[in-house]
Amino acid sequence: MVTQNPTDHAGRTDERPFSERLQHFVNGTFVRSLPFWGIPFLLMGSAVYAGIGWNVLISLTDYEGLASASYSHLDFEMYARAFGSSTFWTAAQNTFVLLVAFTVICLVLGLALAVLLDRNIRYSESIQTIYVLPMALSFVITAQLWLWMYNPDSGLVNLAIKTLGLSSIDFLGNPKFALAAVIFALVWQFSGYAMVVYLAGLRSIPTSQFEAGKIDGASTARIYLRVIIPQLRASSVSAAVVLMVFALKAFTFLYSLTGVFRPPNGTDILATLMVRRAFKYTEWAYGAAIATMLLLLALGVIAPYLYYQHKHGSL
C-alpha cells in the first residue's frame, strides 16, 4: 500500500520524511501555544459546551423532580408540549415585542443623542455622562428604582400624572401597561450604550465630508440623513446585537420586580417561563426544552452578525 504525502496550500506534495514533518508540527506554534489555551479550552468546553449538550439531552427526555431520567427513549415531546401551550406562545410573543421594541427605541434614541452631541451642543459632556451612567447599574438596582418610580401611590411617575389632573396608573399591575413600562425602564438603562457606539462612529467620519456638503448648499439635516448616517451601518449592527443580547437577559430585571418566578402580569417572557417551570414546578425537561429554544434564538441573533463581520473581514 502506497502512502500519499500530504500537500500544502498550493497543491504541492510535501516530500519530507514523516519524522521531519512530525518534528515540524511539534515545534510549530499550535503545539507550543497549547499550554496557554489548552486548559482554558478544556474548562470552557466542560463547563459551557458540555452543559449545553447535557441540557439538550435532558430536553429530549421526561425528566422531572429528583427522579432519574430515562435516556433509552428520546423524543421531542417537550417541544411539542411547548408549541401546544398558550402560555408558551404568550411568553414568546412578549419576548419578541421586548426584543424588537427595546432594540429599535434604543437605537433611535441613541442615534438622536449622538447627533446632538456630535454638534457640540452646550453641556455635551454632562449630557453624555448622565445618559451613560445608568449602564453602570445592575438589573437589580434598576428594577428596584423603577419599582419605586411606578408605585401607584408615591411613585414619581404617578405624582407627575396627578399634577396633570389624571388618575394614577398601576403600570406594573395592569397588563396593558406592564410590558411597555418594563421596556421603558430598560431603554432608560441602555440607550446610553447605543449613544456611545454611534458617537464613536460619528467621530470616526472625516469632517471634510460635512464641509463638502455645506459647500454644496445642503442643510445640516440633509447632510446627516444622506451622507453621515448611512456610514453608521457597522455601528448600528454591532449596537443592535449587543442590545438584543441585553433584552434576552431581562430575566434578572423581571425577577427583581417581584422577587418570585412569575413577573408582573403581561411581562412573562421565555426566560421567566423557563426558570419557573424548571425550579418552581421541577419540570426539568420542559424547562430544558425552553432553554434550548432560547439558545437557538440567541444564535439567530449572533450568527448573522458573525457572518456580517466575516464578510467584511473583521473576524
Side-chain angles (χ1 to χ4, degrees):
M1 182 176 63
V2 179
T3 303
Q4 295 182 349
N5 292 323
T7 58
D8 58 15
H9 295 289
R12 296 170 298 187
T13 303
D14 191 349
E15 300 292 345
R16 294 178 301 173
F18 174 76
S19 59
E20 184 178 345
R21 295 199 305 269
L22 179 61
Q23 184 177 4
H24 177 75
F25 174 76
V26 171
N27 294 329
T29 56
F30 177 82
V31 176
R32 293 173 62 184
S33 63
L34 187 62
F36 300 97
W37 62 265
I39 296 177
F41 178 80
L42 291 176
L43 292 176
M44 179 67 70
S46 59
V48 178
Y49 302 113
I52 293 175
W54 184 255
N55 180 83
V56 175
L57 181 63
I58 290 177
S59 70
L60 301 176
T61 67
D62 56 353
Y63 182 43
E64 291 186 2
L66 299 178
S68 60
S70 174
Y71 300 102
S72 59
H73 179 67
L74 305 178
D75 54 35
F76 294 94
E77 179 183 354
M78 296 302 164
Y79 295 91
R81 174 184 171 184
F83 289 133
S85 170
S86 59
T87 304
F88 172 84
W89 286 113
T90 300
Q93 179 181 346
N94 292 338
T95 303
F96 179 79
V97 172
L98 174 63
L99 194 69
V100 175
F102 165 74
T103 304
V104 172
I105 295 174
C106 280
L107 290 178
V108 173
L109 183 59
L111 177 60
L113 291 171
V115 170
L116 290 176
L117 294 176
D118 188 55
R119 301 303 302 156
N120 293 321
I121 62 174
R122 196 175 183 182
Y123 306 117
S124 59
E125 293 183 358
S126 300
I127 295 175
Q128 184 174 348
T129 302
I130 291 172
Y131 276 94
V132 173
L133 185 60
M135 283 187 57
L137 304 177
S138 67
F139 274 130
V140 176
I141 296 176
T142 305
Q144 293 303 308
L145 171 65
W146 284 97
L147 188 63
W148 171 69
M149 294 282 286
Y150 288 139
N151 187 287
D153 300 321
S154 59
L156 290 181
V157 176
N158 275 297
L159 290 178
I161 292 176
K162 291 178 182 179
T163 58
L164 299 176
L166 303 175
S167 58
S168 62
I169 301 174
D170 187 3
F171 287 96
L172 297 177
N174 191 331
K176 295 181 180 179
F177 301 103
L179 186 58
V182 169
I183 293 173
F184 184 87
L186 293 176
V187 168
W188 172 84
Q189 184 173 12
F190 292 106
S191 59
Y193 171 78
M195 178 195 69
V196 171
V197 173
Y198 278 126
L199 188 59
L202 289 171
R203 297 287 166 83
S204 66
I205 298 176
T207 57
S208 58
Q209 298 186 13
F210 193 87
E211 295 171 356
K214 281 292 187 181
I215 295 175
D216 292 338
S219 63
T220 302
R222 183 176 292 272
I223 293 175
Y224 274 103
L225 290 175
R226 298 294 182 87
V227 179
I228 305 300
I229 293 179
Q231 299 183 60
L232 298 176
R233 181 180 302 175
S235 300
S236 299
V237 172
S238 60
V241 170
V242 174
L243 289 171
M244 284 188 282
V245 172
F246 281 142
L248 292 175
K249 295 168 59 179
F251 165 80
T252 306
F253 179 85
L254 293 172
Y255 178 81
S256 301
L257 288 175
T258 57
V260 294
F261 293 139
R262 179 173 291 279
N265 293 331
T267 63
D268 196 18
I269 60 176
L270 290 177
T272 54
L273 177 62
M274 171 195 68
V275 175
R276 186 168 67 252
R277 303 313 303 186
F279 292 96
K280 183 178 181 179
Y281 299 103
T282 64
E283 297 175 348
W284 303 108
Y286 187 45
I290 299 175
T292 301
M293 287 184 277
L294 264 176
L295 173 64
L296 294 177
L297 180 60
L299 291 177
V301 171
I302 298 175
Y305 171 71
L306 295 178
Y307 177 76
Y308 173 85
Q309 293 289 86
H310 174 70
K311 291 288 290 184
H312 290 77
S314 300
L315 289 180

